[in-house]
Structures are given as C-alpha cells and as structure tokens.
Amino acid sequence: MHSFLKFANDNRAGIIRLIQELVECESPSDSLEHVNRFLDLLVERTSDIATAEKIGVSQSGKALKLTFHGGDGDGQVLALGHADTVWPLGTIERMPFRERDGRLWGPGVLDMKAGLAIFISAVRALVATGVRVRRTVCLLVVPDEETGSTYSRCVTEAEARNSLAVLVLEPGTGLEGKLKTSRKGVGHYTVYVEGKAAHAGVDFESGASAVLEAARQVLRLNELTDLGRGLTVNPGVIQGGTRSNVVAAEARIEVDVRVQRLEDAAFIEEQLRDLTALDSRCRVRVEGGLNRPPMERTEGIARLFQTARRIAADIGIDLEESATGGGSDGNFTAALGVPTLDGLGAVGEGAHASNESILIDRIADRVALLAGLVRLL
Ligand SMILES: [Zn+2]
C-alpha cells in the first residue's frame, strides 16, 4: 500500500490538475449536452489506460463505461460514479475552482468530481507500480444520479450483477471521511385530496374542505414515523385552496419517505395506498413509490469494510463506517445482494452547498485505499 501512497504523493500536482479540469467542465443534470461533454473529457483523460464505451440510457442521455487495461479477467470489480452535479451552468464563474486553506473548492468538487479523479489515479497507481490485478476493473459513470438515476438505474444494475463487488465514489461522511455501509431507502409520494368547493359565507355547510382534510392526513402521515426503526415520513410540502373565502376543493401533500429496511418499504407502501379520507365527502388518492431501496449492511458489506479498514490501517488511517439517510446508486447495487462499499470518494464537506470543498491532505490515502481494494478484491 505504501507504494500506492508514494505514487499519489509524488503525483499530487497532476491529480489536483485533473480535479480542476473536471470541476471546470460544468455538468448540471439538466444539460445532457454538458454532461456528455464531461464524459468525453473523462474518455480523453483515460485513453491510455482504458477502453471507453458509451451506453445510451435515454434519448440523448448516456452513461460511460471505462474498462481499464491489464485486469486478468477473473470476475469484475465495478467502481460507480456520476457525471452530473446539482450546480446550474455558470456557477463556476461565481464559485471558481480554487486551492485555499489546504482545500480544493468548487461546484461538484466533492460530489463527486474528485472521487472520479481519485479512482482514475488509483488505477494509474496500479499501472505505475506494475501490480497484477486479478479482476476486470470497470468504472461506470452515469448522467442522472442527482435527479434519482431514473434512466441509468437498469444499466447500473446490469453491471452490478456482473460484478463481485461495487465501490461507490460518493464522498465519505464528515471530515473524517467515514465509509458508508448502510443507507436508507428513499421514496417520494404525492397525496392528492379532493373536496367540495363552496362559498365560505353563503354556503359553508355544503362544502367539504380539501385543506382541512389534507391537514388531518398530515397528522396521520406523521404518526407513521418510527425513529426506532429508522423509518421517517416527512410531509414536506402542502398546497391547496384558491382563496380564503372559498371552501377548498383541492389540496396536495408531497411526502418524503426513508426506510432502513426493505420490509419497511413494503409496509409504508401499503399504509400510504390504504389512506382514506376522514371526511367521507372528500377523496384521497396517492401516487408515487420507492425510488431507491435501502442499502442494508449485509455480511458481504461488513467483510468488504473490514478489508478496507485493514488497507487503511496499513497507511496510518483509522477508517470508520457510518450509516446515512441519504441515497446513492449504491442502494441499487446493494439491494441486488452485491457487496457494496460507499463513500470511497473524496473527504470534505458542503456537498450541494456553497462551501463545497475537499481536503487536499486526504487525496493520497483515498487513492491508496482504492488501489489497495482493487488489488485485493
Ligand atoms: Zn453524488
């Protein structure tokens, strides 16, 4: 592992340059043209060490699969990343890439452009040190993770099914860079409430307020939250009515659901589907579903983490694990039963926020950790 660490330290300037290039090539989820341009940049920067394949995931959306040269082909190890960021085009002008206070700053640097650069550098470390790699090593970069991976999900799942392990390049947790061995599943639901409009002054009693019904439903939804089970139901948006002198005919509640265990996903789905109006003159209809299944900490995931922990210890890092309520594409691969380790990307803070930054001092050990994992898996 020390030779990987030495490689990363010796090549620090080059790795930082690659991170800068990736950050400065903006790639918001809503501009496929720019996301594709970003994928082209990745192809260019890896042309000497990998074979590139673009896989169509929607009409013009593409995922990029890089297969690195030199693996012996005894099974596949899959690294997983995304090209898109939450930052609109032009953000780079007011939030330029910069190096300051021991950190690299810029839109998407943590989530997850540095993670991609770190993995590419890990492969370069393996090439430079002449280490034999038993597996075929692939990096899949999808275009739509920040918007729920609706289009790329089946490509990710197909690649995962062919893999012995999945390494997710999302940022680590906190400034310690803890790995993520469990993630909650995420669901989005909309509860539509239909009432009966009436004049609030003239004809109040003939109305059935959808707003009042929605308010009652919100209280009901709130009761489904069970913190002990890691189950949360958040009615985050409520809308309804037209004006104060009208008994409201319509209302709508948007609900975010998080589950720690797959069985709770089915439970909550049933609870929501069975919602009925408390006022019999109103009607309630629910749409939506689970977007990402939970990533449960299986035996395989625990073993993978122990391997990572040993590699990190060898280079002086006390690696810890964490559980998070946020989802990633690792949720999909773990749900298939493929051992998945997440949070292997950069160490920093401020994902999706204006203080998004990574710790320069933690680039090298992440490169060494990923190179070590690829070698040992
Ligand atoms: Zn991300």
Side-chain angles (χ1 to χ4, degrees), residues 82 111-112 145-146 170-171 352:
H82 60 85
D111 188 10
M112 62 149 58
E145 196 274 344
E146 295 291 3
E170 292 289 351
H352 302 193

Side-chain angles (χ1 to χ4, degrees), residues 81-82 84-86 110-113 145-146 168-171 183 327-329 351-352:
H82 60 85
D84 60 325
T85 74
V86 297
L110 176 66
D111 188 10
M112 62 149 58
K113 295 192 168 176
E145 196 274 344
E146 295 291 3
V168 186
L169 304 173
E170 292 289 351
R183 282 184 182 272
S328 86
D329 286 343
H352 302 193

Side-chain angles (χ1 to χ4, degrees), residues 177-195:
K178 293 177 187 174
L179 300 193
K180 293 167 178 170
T181 52
S182 104
R183 282 184 182 272
K184 283 187 179 177
V186 189
H188 298 293
Y189 293 86
T190 306
V191 180
Y192 295 94
V193 182
E194 210 182 291

Side-chain angles (χ1 to χ4, degrees), residues 186-191 217-218 221-222 224 232-238 252-258 268 272 275 286-289:
V186 189
H188 298 293
Y189 293 86
T190 306
V191 180
Q217 295 293 339
V218 163
L221 290 166
N222 181 55
L224 294 171
T232 60
V233 177
N234 181 50
V237 177
I238 179 164
R252 188 167 72 93
I253 312 159
E254 285 176 37
V255 187
D256 174 292
V257 172
R258 309 268 162 163
I268 207 75
L272 287 168
L275 281 184
V286 178
E287 278 182 17

